């Protein structure tokens, strides 16, 4: 399974992700500079955390027009896997692959912490290694992670089982305690917590590793 | 013939979106003694110049710019004012 990690000016979690997909899981991984357009060799595209283009105007607002993102849209429309973590989640909402928006934390602080999350939907390629309702611990590190969507959108997310991760204790004012959502098809996942920072025992947390391992299982199952 | 316009664009959070920065500023104003202050909302102000064949065309372009980039319609509203600054530049 081949991973591609989009690198914008200002991305800062790109190498952490490669350390997991290539270093720990031994999967071919390449860094994709934001000017690149050919992603046809990739199975999974990951949009990393950071501050793409300085997060000028709004988080993720400028990144949505980068050449690589046009190809990410095609990749997603083909039903292939797209993961956005933190700033990557913000980019996915700005570009419209996921509904809603991520705005300033309720208490205005940048929050760097470990949080408990509930796995709400374990039927997706992303979460199939988790138990339904499993409580996991992942790091968060964001100033603008408060999920917002209008009432109709929230209802649709709930009805379609698109809420993948929910905070056990809401750190930032996210509506419905949302920490991560998928699109209707389930091939696009956006989440504020960082699974890539919780995949190496040396770092103390390993609950994020199963997310990447689940993907490998998905491909084996498909073959 | 084209005209040059100055646009003043105001981007504000939709009323349904909590604005914690606005709430903090409101409480600051109350502490200064301005007890009558309420509904503080913090937004963005953007200025730009553009050339267009007419004010209507400039207005259409600005609507598109706001919808595509300058504002996020999920959380924000926008409005703008157009002022002609120079005629017949082309």
């Amino acid at each position: 399974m081949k991973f591609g990690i989009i690198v914008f000016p200002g991305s800062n979690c790109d190498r952490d992700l490669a350390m997991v997909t290539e270093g720990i899981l031994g999967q071919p991984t390449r860094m994709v500079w934001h000017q690149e357009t050919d992603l046809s060799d990739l199975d999974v595209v990951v949009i990393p955390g950071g501050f793409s283009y300085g997060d000028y105007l709004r988080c993720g607002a400028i990144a949505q027009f980068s050449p690589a993102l046009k190809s990410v849209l095609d990749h997603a429309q083909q039903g292939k896997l797209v993961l956005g973590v933190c700033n990557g989640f913000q980019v996915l909402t700005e570009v419209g692959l996921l509904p809603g928006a991520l705005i300033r934390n309720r208490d205005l602080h940048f929050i760097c912490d470990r949080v408990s999350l509930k796995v709400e939907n374990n039927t997706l390629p992303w979460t199939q290694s988790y138990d339904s309702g499993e409580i996991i611990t992942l790091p968060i590190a964001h100033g603008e992670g408060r999920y917002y969507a209008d009432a109709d959108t929230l209802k649709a997310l709930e009805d379609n089982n698109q809420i993948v991760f929910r905070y056990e204790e809401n750190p930032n004012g996210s509506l419905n305690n949302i920490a991560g959502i998928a699109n209707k098809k389930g091939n696009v996942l956006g989440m504020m917590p960082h699974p890539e920072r919780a995949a190496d025992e040396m770092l103390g947390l390993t609950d994020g590793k199963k997310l990447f391992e689940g993907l490998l299982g998905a491909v084996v199952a498909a073959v | 013939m084209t005209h040059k316009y100055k646009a003043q664009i105001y981007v504000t959070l939709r009323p349904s979106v909590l604005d914690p920065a606005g709430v903090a500023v409101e409480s600051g104003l109350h502490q200064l003694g301005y007890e009558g202050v309420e509904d503080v909302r913090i937004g963005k102000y953007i200025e730009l110049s553009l050339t267009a064949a007419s004010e209507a065309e400039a207005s259409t372009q600005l609507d598109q710019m706001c919808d595509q980039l300058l504002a996020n319609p999920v959380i924000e509203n926008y409005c703008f004012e157009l002022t002609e600054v120079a005629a017949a530049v082309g």
Side-chain angles (χ1 to χ4, degrees):
Chain A
M1 161 159 266
K2 188 163 182 184
F3 288 83
I5 298 161
I6 311 284
V7 184
F8 300 106
S11 294
N12 63 16
C13 297
D14 42 328
R15 291 191 186 91
D16 306 51
L17 280 155
M19 182 55 82
V20 176
T21 59
E22 192 168 38
I24 295 178
L25 298 177
Q27 302 300 306
T29 299
R30 75 180 174 92
M31 310 311 275
V32 180
W33 185 237
H34 65 116
Q35 298 292 345
E36 285 186 45
T37 52
D38 185 2
L39 307 181
S40 55
D41 59 316
L42 302 174
D43 300 304
V44 187
V45 169
V46 188
I47 307 180
F51 299 85
S52 53
Y53 300 93
D55 276 350
Y56 298 143
L57 194 64
R58 293 181 308 277
C59 303
I62 312 284
Q64 64 174 312
F65 300 110
S66 70
L69 250 288
K70 289 193 181 67
S71 305
V72 174
L73 286 173
D74 291 340
H75 182 91
Q77 271 148 18
Q78 292 168 39
K80 294 190 196 169
L81 298 167
V82 178
L83 169 66
V85 176
C86 202
N87 192 224
F89 186 10
Q90 294 161 343
V91 172
L92 290 176
T93 58
E94 280 283 338
V95 79
L97 278 175
L98 293 173
L102 292 141
I103 53 179
R104 195 88 177 267
N105 292 345
R106 178 189 46 207
D107 298 328
L108 299 171
H109 298 132
F110 185 97
I111 306 171
C112 183
D113 203 354
R114 293 174 168 189
V115 294
S116 295
L117 303 165
K118 189 180 206 176
V119 180
E120 293 280 352
N121 178 349
N122 74 336
T123 65
L124 302 174
W126 311 101
T127 50
Q128 54 183 336
S129 292
Y130 297 103
D131 297 327
S132 179
E134 184 174 341
I135 307 294
I136 62 172
T137 304
L138 293 181
I140 55 169
H142 59 246
E144 279 145 320
R146 174 163 57 110
Y147 185 80
Y148 174 87
D150 61 37
D152 290 345
T153 305
L154 282 173
K155 185 173 184 311
L157 287 172
E158 296 280 2
D159 290 350
N160 299 326
N161 213 10
Q162 286 174 256
I163 298 169
V164 183
F165 299 107
R166 235 189 272 264
Y167 298 111
E168 285 283 282
E169 275 182 52
N170 196 333
N172 55 19
S174 277
L175 294 181
N176 295 28
N177 297 334
I178 287 173
I181 57 169
N183 63 346
K184 219 167 171 179
K185 220 193 255 179
N187 62 312
V188 178
L189 171 68
M191 57 193 295
M192 289 313 294
H194 287 271
E196 81 280 9
R197 296 188 191 176
D200 186 339
E201 278 171 23
M202 263 172 62
L203 299 179
L205 290 176
T206 53
D207 285 347
K209 192 175 169 189
K210 281 202 235 175
L211 185 141
F212 299 97
E213 286 173 339
L215 292 180
L216 306 186
V219 169
V220 171
V223 174
Chain B
M1 192 173 82
T2 57
H3 302 258
K4 188 167 184 180
Y5 299 92
K6 181 181 171 187
Q8 297 173 293
I9 304 156
Y10 304 87
V11 179
T12 49
L13 279 176
R14 282 171 51 173
S16 57
V17 179
L18 171 73
D19 176 14
V23 172
V25 169
E26 183 172 313
S27 96
L29 288 169
H30 289 167
Q31 282 176 27
L32 283 173
Y34 299 101
E35 293 296 337
V37 171
E38 55 188 21
D39 301 334
V40 176
R41 309 281 288 172
I42 295 176
K44 293 181 189 129
Y45 171 70
I46 302 166
E47 279 183 352
L48 57 85
S49 299
L50 80 162
T51 51
S54 66
E55 188 166 331
E57 194 202 297
S59 179
T60 304
Q61 282 190 30
L62 273 168
D63 271 323
Q64 290 168 351
M65 288 180 218
C66 288
D67 288 333
Q68 289 171 22
L69 176 63
L70 300 180
N72 179 348
V74 175
I75 46 168
E76 293 166 330
N77 293 326
Y78 66 83
C79 60
F80 55 79
E81 291 156 16
L82 268 176
T83 318
E84 187 167 349
V85 288
V89 289

